[in-house]
Amino acid sequence: CPWNDPGAISLQGELMDVQGDMYLKISLLLYSLYCLLAWLGLIILTSLISVANVFNTISTNVGLRRRDFGMLRSAGFREKDLLRMMNYECLTYGCKALVWGVPISLVLSYLIQAIDRGITNTEFVPPWNALLIAALCVFIVVFTTMFYAVSRLRKDNPIDAIRMENT
């Protein structure tokens, strides 16, 4: 009878240990996946709120300066000159955001890796790829928003824009 055989009991115990280890590994994997999805959801939500904030700020700023742009156009500013001015403004917005954002993110990355260093014993490696992607995203959002706001300005008659006191 295999139940009375000590070798069979030992094999059965090892099988139970393997099943327990597999259960533990699967549950740790699912927990890690759950944490990853929660962090990604938080990052995506924060990014969408930030993009909406930038879009609202820039389009409102351009809308409030509608009268000024009408005066510039009536004084001889061409469409090309207006776009050039807005491009410089976009570069200023993006660079200003990066001047603040890059050092803060490097300090936070260092602190996170310092905490992790106690567990894994690794050196600090700046996340250059992530910073490059973030910088590109900043400029894409700012330029896209600015082009949207300027496209609304193109439809305006300069004389009507000057007559408007407040939009």
Side-chain angles (χ1 to χ4, degrees), residues 26-42:
I26 289 173
S27 63
L28 284 175
L29 179 69
L30 289 175
Y31 180 73
S32 299
L33 183 64
Y34 172 74
C35 289
L36 177 69
L37 288 175
W39 276 110
L40 284 176
L42 181 66

Side-chain angles (χ1 to χ4, degrees), residues 24 31 87 91 103 106 114 122 139 164:
L24 181 64
Y31 180 73
N87 284 336
L91 284 173
L106 283 173
T122 58
F139 284 113
M164 295 286 277

